[in-house]
Amino acid sequence: MSYGTPSPNPARRSVLRGSLAATAALSLGAAAAPALALSGRPRAAWGVQAGDVTATSGLVWVRADRPARMLVETAATESFRGARRWYGPLLGPGSDFTGTTALRGLPPGEQIHYRVTLADPDDPRRAGEPVTGTFRTAPARRRDGVRFLWSGDIAGQGWGINPDIGGFRAFEEMRRLDPDFFLCSGDTVYADGPIQPSVTLPDGRVWRNLTTPEKSKVAETLDEYRGNFRYNLLDHNVRAFNAQVPSVVQWDDHEVRNNWYPGQILEDARYTEKDVDVLSARAVQAFGEYFPVSTLQPSGADRRMHRVVRYGPLLDVFVLDMRSYRNANSPGRQADDGTGILGAEQLEWLKRELSRSRAVWKVLAADMPLGLVVPDGAANIEAIAQGDPGAPLGRELQIAELLRFVKHRRITGTLWLTADVHYTSAQHYAPERAAFQDFAPFWEFVSGPLAAGGFPANALDATFGPERVFVRAPERANLSPMESPQYFGEVDIDGDSGELTVRLRAEGGLVLFSKTLRPGLVGQ
């Protein structure tokens, strides 16, 4: 999995706004286990996906069913006339036959069509059927505007791919909206959530799941973690979405295990491996193998989840990692906490990158909410807010430091997007309502789940003065997607005015809430 090398043939430059047909049909029988047969031609039955797209670059991902050489071609049209060729890595068992090729020197603000061909490494003439995809590069001009979607929480609480309802239907709904990219806000898989063949709902209906061996137990081995990421790709909606919409992906806890933190030793009887650091190392390897993430490529010297994805003059996305550097979950009442939820080094990185940003809007992509109380058992806190409405304590101290920094450096256009809590809401934070007041007002928007159980709304913590302006949540825990709609959010930045509109959407085409923010302000 190394970066590819382009051929000297230039790509044609023209702006296209079409969409692409879905990936070729995937046989579930063939997809259930990797084929190691040496006969036949390599196949890319898991589809393709693009990630971390900027104005001039992007990553393209594929998985082969056997050892293969990855070849990518890009062009301005679906005919691939005058295509530019990129030579990618050799795909083998060391990366679970996955690979990523970096495309550089792309034209900004244009539709890029790409196709991936897998060739036999011993006989390049034996190549498989090409698999196609497309994405738009970020605009170089402000007036072109930006529109993206976000959500999280996929295949959680035992609600997997249900063929009776058409699988993960929200992905097809998102695909039809044809956004510039999708921000996946964590819990991309539930490695700690086995999928059973069927579940009987309270009203007597039966939820039926597609199942695989790797999803029959909690993930512990590297192969089991890989199998969790492969599971979502069995869904035809996900593969079609990936082929049309590039992603910006982060993780939270369920990629490893519920509510994990570094150094944790498990008491869960389901696990034979009790050291979470061992489990998380396997999980992050599988994550980097199955998602095109620029900072997780094996050729990088500093492999990490947090990064800035710069999407033209209107938008920078600050992808946070609230999992890898946090301290142990506790009641969160410490008066001094230098580690917090981001770790000292990531906090300094974030402040530095926010100061450098010249984008009109600066989205802080958080895998956990700020002012919503997310418990871990009876006494401990899993997120930031701990239910004490007074001055900042515990992990709140780090957030207070960051908010103070944003205010005093007069950093404009910040807003927070997250998922995690399995409902959708909008919170406005204001110092006049807060115990801690040295910050500028800001908004936090929550959306999800995308394909998981729905849960009631969490309590608010008054430390930073949140007001719940909108919420849509079920009244009881773990409602299946047959009982409660799935949620995703939309962000639309107008190129002329620079105004940013957030829409909270429910599966079925409903816009539940909309809020428009003005550019150039420190606080909203």
Side-chain angles (χ1 to χ4, degrees), residues 258-271:
N258 186 44
N259 296 356
W260 75 274
Y261 51 83
Q264 184 181 24
I265 302 299
L266 300 179
E267 298 179 356
D268 190 331
R270 299 177 301 168
Y271 288 83

Side-chain angles (χ1 to χ4, degrees), residues 296-462:
L296 289 179
Q297 298 306 298
S299 58
D302 180 21
R303 299 188 70 196
R304 53 186 167 82
M305 194 73 65
H306 62 280
R307 62 201 187 276
V308 185
V309 178
R310 304 194 186 280
Y311 205 83
L314 283 172
L315 177 65
D316 281 347
V317 181
F318 297 83
V319 183
L320 305 184
D321 183 354
M322 294 177 154
R323 190 56 56 180
S324 303
Y325 309 100
R326 63 164 58 198
N327 50 22
N329 290 353
S330 72
R333 300 303 201 271
Q334 310 95 298
D336 184 15
D337 188 347
T339 300
I341 200 164
L342 297 173
E345 184 176 341
Q346 185 180 185
L347 176 61
E348 290 308 308
W349 164 85
L350 178 57
K351 291 194 290 187
R352 181 174 64 251
E353 294 298 332
L354 282 169
S355 296
R356 292 175 176 174
S357 175
R358 296 298 175 262
V360 175
W361 293 99
K362 303 157 187 71
V363 165
L364 291 110
D367 47 290
M368 300 212 76
L370 298 185
L372 280 60
V373 181
V374 183
D376 179 14
N380 293 335
I381 292 300
E382 157 69 352
I384 297 162
Q386 20 68 336
D388 182 338
L393 294 171
R395 293 171 181 160
E396 292 174 335
L397 292 163
Q398 195 174 64
I399 301 304
E401 180 181 347
L402 175 62
L403 296 179
R404 182 189 296 114
F405 177 85
V406 169
K407 174 187 173 182
H408 287 267
R409 290 296 184 96
R410 299 195 59 78
I411 297 171
T412 62
T414 61
L415 75 155
W416 294 73
L417 301 181
T418 189
D420 183 67
V421 289
H422 296 240
Y423 62 87
T424 188
S425 67
Q427 286 81 233
H428 182 252
Y429 292 75
E432 61 268 20
R433 296 189 296 263
F436 172 79
Q437 298 184 326
D438 194 8
F439 71 97
F442 66 95
W443 284 85
E444 173 188 53
F445 298 95
V446 178
S447 192
L450 198 54
F455 283 79
N458 297 59
L460 293 182
D461 183 314

Side-chain angles (χ1 to χ4, degrees), residues 154-174:
I154 304 167
Q157 291 74 49
W159 312 116
I161 301 168
N162 184 344
D164 297 339
I165 65 170
F168 293 158
R169 298 174 303 189
F171 279 90
E172 172 59 16
E173 191 168 315
M174 293 194 301

Side-chain angles (χ1 to χ4, degrees), residues 24 62 73 135 273 291 344 445 450 455 474 508:
V62 74
E73 295 172 283
F135 61 86
E273 176 57 69
F291 288 118
F445 298 95
L450 198 54
F455 283 79

